[in-house]
Amino acid sequence: SAPLVTNDQIGPFKMLAGNECNGDNPPVDQEFCEICSSDNKDKPDSLALQYIPAGVNSQFQDSKKASCRAGTYPTTTRLTMENKNGIRQTFDVTAGDNITIAGPFSAETTFTYDGGDCYIHTSCSVPLVTNDQIGPFKVVAGNECGTVPPAVPPTTEGTCEICSKDNKDKPEFL
């Protein structure tokens, strides 16, 4: 029921080859880099994602861990997510755009978009890897994996955190 993919670590065993996949010729776009997992709890500070409206099911996060699944998502939309500290991040995206979301992350990171919402699993109890597409989000980079591409800047919504419990940068004036 769970996919077997090359370079996946299962206990002490690393999947090197099988069927048409062999260690010398990995399938195109199937080179994964593990950002974090149940064996690697180094949660990323941020994640770079590419928005692809033709959503697909993740190879690593099943429907119990991610509600972002195969399907058609809006070509152009406003994405909103909130990190564990309650900081909201909003992006106006079009198909193919890259975004970088900032942590810290809760167990699930929920994205609201025009017409719905869905979540991906970000607690690292299941693998979070580059080149995996979770619904409309292709994981591009996190931790030491991948290269962060130029991204769509967050959309300002009329609020800006000046300082807080976690942001001790006191203003010189108000």
Side-chain angles (χ1 to χ4, degrees):
S1 65
L4 293 175
V5 296
T6 56
N7 295 319
D8 196 4
Q9 185 82 29
I10 303 169
F13 304 102
K14 185 171 186 174
M15 299 301 293
L16 298 177
N19 292 343
E20 281 94 282
C21 300
N22 65 50
D24 299 324
N25 299 306
V28 176
D29 290 333
Q30 296 302 308
E31 294 180 16
F32 300 111
C33 178
E34 182 183 274
I35 296 167
C36 66
S37 69
S38 60
D39 295 326
N40 168 17
K41 292 287 191 176
D42 186 17
K43 291 185 180 182
D45 294 326
S46 64
L47 284 173
L49 305 170
Q50 183 180 33
Y51 181 71
I52 303 171
V56 300
N57 293 333
S58 168
Q59 293 186 47
F60 298 92
Q61 298 192 12
D62 64 23
S63 61
K64 294 176 187 158
K65 295 293 184 178
S67 69
C68 297
R69 309 300 294 160
T72 303
Y73 293 81
T75 302
T76 299
T77 191
R78 175 169 279 193
L79 292 173
T80 303
M81 62 79 62
E82 196 171 285
N83 71 13
K84 189 175 184 175
N85 291 340
I87 297 173
R88 182 177 299 207
Q89 299 165 60
T90 302
F91 305 88
D92 290 320
V93 296
T94 300
D97 282 349
N98 293 297
I99 61 171
T100 299
I101 58 174
F105 299 105
S106 298
E108 295 169 347
T109 298
T110 299
F111 294 89
T112 302
Y113 55 89
D114 297 337
D117 62 53
C118 67
Y119 62 87
I120 65 174
H121 201 76
T122 48
S123 78
C124 300
S125 65
V126 293
L128 188 57
V129 297
T130 58
N131 290 319
D132 186 26
Q133 187 172 334
I134 311 166
F137 305 107
K138 181 177 180 181
V139 181
V140 177
N143 285 347
E144 302 299 316
C145 294
T147 303
V148 178
V152 171
T155 303
T156 57
E157 293 186 334
T159 61
C160 178
E161 179 182 277
I162 296 169
C163 64
S164 70
K165 175 179 79 173
D166 297 317
N167 173 8
K168 305 274 188 211
D169 188 16
K170 294 181 181 177
E172 293 178 23
F173 62 91
L174 291 173

